[in-house]
Amino acid sequence: MSVVTRIAPSPTGDPHVGTAYVALFNYAFARRHGGRFILRLEDTDRQRFQSEAEARILAMLTWLGLTPDEGPGVGGSAGPYRQSERLDIYREHANELLARGAAYRAFETAEELDAMRAEQRRHGRDPGYDGRGRTLPRDEQEARAAAGEPHVVRLRTPDDGHTSFVDLLRGEVRIPNTEIRDTVLLKSDGFPTYHLAVVVDDHLMQVSHVLRAEEWVTSTPIHVLLHDAFAWSLPTFAHLPLLRNPDANKSKISKRKMDTSVDSYREGGILPEALLNFLGTMGWSMPDGREVFSLQAMIDVFELERISLGGPVFDLKRLRNLNARYLRDELSVEEVARRVRPTLALDGGPDDSVDDEYLCDVIDVLRPRVETLAELAEKASGYFVERLAYDEDSRKRLATGQSYLEDLERAFAALEWFDEDGIDELLHEYVQRQAVPMGKVMMPLRVALTGTTDAPGVVDLVAIMGKQRTLQRIGHALESISQALPDDDPERLRLEAQAAAKEAAQAAKGKQRRPVATERG
RNA sequence: GGCCCCUUCGACUAGCGGUUAGGUCACUACCCUUUCAAGGUAGCGGCACGAGUUCGAAUCUCGUAGGGGUCACCA
C-alpha cells in the first residue's frame, strides 16, 4: 500500500504555524516513503471563510518548500480538493448512511437545542444532543425533508460499549460510547461538517496515514464509527503533539497569546529553512542529535516513532537563535545578500543600484550581529545612505573626538595602501603617537562612519567602506559637529524639558522622586 | 465537571533496566577585544510524587498530583 498523507487546513485567517508544523511532518513522512502529500481545503464553514486565505496557505507551503503533490491549484486525480466543490459527494454519502439506518434526519431548531442544553445544565447533566430525533419514523423524516423543512443529518451512535482505535504513538485509545453524541454530519445549509467530510475525503483520496494535531484525538471515535458505517477500512492514525504558548500553563498555541502567523515571521525576517528546522525540533529529534538540519536531512531519516508527546513550547528565542545560525553559518554571504535585497529596497534604501560587492562586505561584518533578515536590513541601511543622522549621544561622541577625526581625515586622505593592513597600521600608530587609549579614537571614528556605538570593528569598517566613503563620512561628521553643537541640540532640549515636567508632576503627587529621563540599564 | 492524552534542567530534547542522566537555547562567569556582537572555556540547572516488579529503575506496572485537549449545524 502506498503512503498518502494530507493536511486539511481551513481558509479562515492568517497561515498558521500549526499548519506549517503539521504540514512538515506529513510532508516528511510522505517523502520518506516515496508517497504523496495532499493539500485539501476544508472550506465548509462559510461563516469564517476568507477568500484570500487559500492563496496564502499555498504561498506559505511554497515558501517553506512543502509543496503539495495534489491540491487546489495544483491538480491531481482525486480532486476537487476544495470541500465546497464536493458537496454532491457528501450528500450522496449521507444518503447512503440514511439508507443504511446509520444516520437520521433531525429537525430541531437552534432554539430548541439551546433549550435542551439549558435544561440539561439545570439538572446538572452534561449538555449535549440527547438523540431525541432518533424516534421520528423514517417516512416522516423523508416527508418533512421533501416538504423543504430545514434539518440536519446526524450519525446514529451506540449508547453503550466502547469505541477504540490505535494511535501509532499512543497505542490503543478507548472511549466510552456514552461520550459520543449523535454528531451532525450534514448541516442544514447542505454543507458537511468536518467529521463527514474528513472521513469521506480521506477514504476517497486514499489517505493511508492521518497525521494531525492531538486536539482531534477525542473525535477520532466518531470517524471510526463512520468508517464502520461505510464498511471502510481505517487509515493509520498518529496524533501530533500540540504546539504550546510560552505561558505558565503551556496552553494550546493561540494568536491571542502569541504570534501564530507564518506571514508575520516571514515579514520579520525569519528564514524558511530556520522555521522549518525549528518546527522539526518540536516533538521530534534527529537520531544523531544534530540540532541544525535541512528538510532533506530530516526526510532522509524521518520516523514517526521518534516523536515525543509532551507539548513543545513555541519559544521565540530559540527560533531567533536558529535563524541567526542560518544567517551566519549556513548560508553564503551571496545568498544572504540575495534575500535582504528586496527588503533594502522596501525601506526606501538602495535597490538594484547597490554595489553587490559592497553589499556582501557589509553583510559579512553585520551578520554575526543580527538574528533576522529584518534586523540585517535595518542595520545595513546606514551603510548605503549619503548622509547619516546622528542622535544626541552620537553628536556628543563626535564632538569629544573632533580633533582626532580631523587628524584621521588627513591621514586617511594621505594613505596610499588603503587596505586592512594599511588602515590597521595607521590607526595603531596614530593612537600610540597621541598616547591615548584606543577607545578615545576608535569610538568617535566608529560613530562618524556608522552613526552608532555598536558596530563592527573600525578597521573592518574603514576597509569595506573604502577611501572615498570613509573620507566623505568623516567630513560629514565634522560638518555636523560645527553645525549643531550638542548644547544646541533641539531634540535633547525637548527631552530635558519633558523630563523636568514629568519630575515636577511626580513631586506634586507626593511620590518619591526618581530620575526618569535617561535611565540606562 | 465527564471523557481522553501527556509529564527528564526555565525552554527544546537524548535516553527505550545497569549512564558521573548527554546535547542545544536561555542565564552566569572568564577569555578574546577599540564598542556591540560572534567565537572559545567553564558554570548554574532536571528524571512531579508515592507504592510495586526487579539483584538493579528516568526507563516496566499501579496510584496520586499537575498540565493539556475535548465535550457546536467551527474546524
Side-chain angles (χ1 to χ4, degrees):
Chain A
M1 188 183 71
S2 66
V3 167
V4 178
T5 65
R6 50 63 171 182
I7 54 164
S10 314
T12 53
D14 288 0
H16 200 278
V17 288
T19 304
Y21 177 58
V22 176
L24 169 62
F25 282 64
N26 275 277
Y27 182 89
F29 185 74
R31 281 287 167 279
R32 170 82 171 119
H33 294 94
R36 280 152 35 229
F37 168 60
I38 298 176
L39 169 64
R40 185 176 68 224
L41 226 58
E42 310 245 325
D43 57 348
T44 56
D45 182 351
R46 71 227 190 293
Q47 246 75 259
R48 296 197 299 154
F49 176 79
Q50 286 181 17
S51 55
E52 344 73 68
E54 175 183 322
R56 292 176 66 195
I57 289 169
L58 211 49
M60 171 188 82
L61 294 174
T62 304
W63 180 64
L64 290 170
L66 305 175
T67 50
D69 301 305
E70 301 173 26
V74 182
S77 56
Y81 296 92
R82 291 181 197 95
Q83 292 186 329
S84 60
E85 294 170 8
R86 300 170 64 83
L87 264 28
D88 289 347
I89 298 174
Y90 308 124
R91 206 189 48 238
E92 280 164 27
H93 283 84
N95 283 337
E96 189 181 331
L97 258 20
L98 248 11
R100 293 181 184 211
Y104 58 94
R105 300 185 193 275
F107 297 84
E108 293 81 18
T109 62
E111 295 72 39
E112 215 171 325
L113 294 175
D114 283 346
M116 175 193 72
R117 279 188 279 261
E119 179 75 9
Q120 286 164 333
R121 256 187 280 268
R122 197 162 37 238
H123 291 286
R125 281 179 286 136
D126 286 344
Y129 189 70
D130 56 10
R132 57 180 64 185
R134 303 212 292 220
T135 53
L136 197 66
R138 268 295 300 279
D139 49 358
E140 195 173 332
Q141 287 178 30
E142 294 308 322
R144 287 171 68 173
E149 191 174 334
H151 65 281
V152 300
V153 174
R154 285 182 185 272
L155 177 68
R156 191 186 296 275
T157 59
D159 296 324
D160 46 33
H162 290 79
T163 298
S164 65
F165 67 96
V166 175
D167 180 292
L168 198 63
L169 304 172
R170 284 159 248 265
E172 187 185 45
V173 178
R174 272 163 67 87
I175 291 182
N177 287 332
T178 50
E179 293 295 317
I180 307 171
R181 309 292 180 171
D182 283 2
T183 325
V184 172
L185 264 20
L186 217 51
K187 300 185 249 184
S188 55
D189 63 3
F191 279 66
T193 60
Y194 172 80
H195 301 297
L196 209 219
V198 78
V199 166
V200 169
D201 287 346
D202 282 347
H203 175 75
L204 262 24
M205 295 177 182
Q206 296 174 31
V207 171
S208 64
H209 295 256
V210 173
L211 316 180
R212 70 206 334 172
E214 186 180 4
E215 55 188 329
W216 297 111
V217 166
T218 46
S219 53
T220 304
I222 296 170
H223 308 159
V224 172
L225 257 19
L226 273 168
H227 276 90
D228 287 351
F230 284 120
W232 292 340
S233 60
L234 248 25
T236 300
F237 292 104
H239 291 90
L240 273 24
L242 245 21
L243 262 25
R244 307 300 182 90
N245 291 314
D247 60 9
N249 288 340
K250 303 186 182 180
S251 51
K252 173 169 90 165
I253 195 169
S254 64
K255 65 178 174 187
R256 286 255 167 267
K257 298 198 173 176
M258 62 166 296
D259 195 350
T260 59
S261 163
V262 172
D263 282 0
S264 92
Y265 287 108
R266 180 179 181 174
E267 283 156 20
I270 296 294
L271 301 160
E273 37 283 82
L275 181 56
L276 229 35
N277 191 158
F278 175 69
L279 292 174
T281 66
M282 303 296 260
W284 191 81
S285 60
M286 272 288 186
D288 63 5
R290 252 182 305 162
E291 319 256 342
V292 180
F293 51 84
S294 66
L295 175 59
Q296 187 56 50
M298 179 174 177
I299 291 168
D300 289 342
V301 297
F302 187 73
E303 298 296 343
L304 289 172
E305 286 71 17
R306 285 194 69 80
I307 294 174
S308 58
L309 295 176
V313 171
F314 194 99
D315 181 2
L316 223 85
K317 277 194 184 151
R318 271 186 69 237
L319 208 210
R320 292 175 65 86
N321 174 273
L322 202 51
N323 201 63
R325 284 157 80 164
Y326 272 87
L327 235 29
R328 61 174 185 259
D329 297 330
E330 301 296 315
L331 301 183
S332 67
V333 221
E334 291 77 17
E335 182 57 28
V336 176
R338 202 179 62 71
R339 300 196 199 195
V340 261
R341 240 180 207 290
T343 326
L344 283 172
L346 263 180
D347 287 354
D351 43 34
D352 293 342
S353 65
V354 168
D355 175 42
D356 229 351
E357 204 177 323
Y358 181 49
L359 211 213
C360 285
D361 285 345
V362 169
I363 288 168
D364 200 37
V365 294
L366 246 28
R367 63 178 178 169
R369 297 170 166 79
V370 298
E371 290 188 312
T372 65
L373 280 178
E375 284 175 24
L376 180 59
E378 197 211 316
K379 273 201 183 350
S381 65
Y383 290 73
F384 296 92
V385 295
E386 275 298 303
R387 196 175 268 274
L388 290 169
Y390 301 107
D391 62 14
E392 190 213 344
D393 184 55
S394 300
R395 284 204 161 93
K396 219 177 264 173
R397 287 175 190 276
L398 289 176
T400 57
Q402 183 168 6
S403 67
Y404 304 132
L405 288 175
E406 284 164 352
D407 290 347
L408 288 173
E409 186 180 30
R410 274 191 297 276
F412 280 135
L415 181 60
E416 214 168 317
W417 307 109
F418 210 89
D419 57 11
E420 197 112 354
D421 285 346
I423 295 158
D424 190 51
E425 203 175 320
L426 182 154
L427 253 13
H428 277 87
E429 273 180 12
Y430 178 74
V431 167
Q432 226 164 21
R433 218 163 342 106
Q434 296 292 313
V436 289
M438 274 276 192
K440 281 268 188 201
V441 176
M442 297 302 205
M443 193 50 95
L445 182 52
R446 173 177 293 110
V447 170
L449 295 174
T450 65
T452 73
T453 55
D454 54 332
V458 165
V459 176
D460 284 340
L461 286 173
V462 174
I464 67 170
M465 284 187 175
K467 193 172 197 166
Q468 195 201 341
R469 210 180 256 109
T470 299
L471 291 175
Q472 190 185 45
R473 291 191 171 213
I474 295 175
H476 285 159
L478 289 170
E479 279 172 31
S480 115
I481 295 170
S482 55
Q483 276 165 13
L485 258 42
D487 284 340
D488 303 329
D489 182 4
E491 175 68 1
R492 191 182 61 88
L493 292 174
R494 197 180 62 78
L495 284 173
E496 272 183 4
Q498 221 171 49
K502 210 165 176 180
E503 239 180 51
Q506 290 220 334
K509 273 188 196 167
K511 284 189 177 167
Q512 212 180 0
R513 219 155 56 90
R514 293 191 64 229
V516 279
T518 50
E519 254 182 85
R520 294 249 154 68

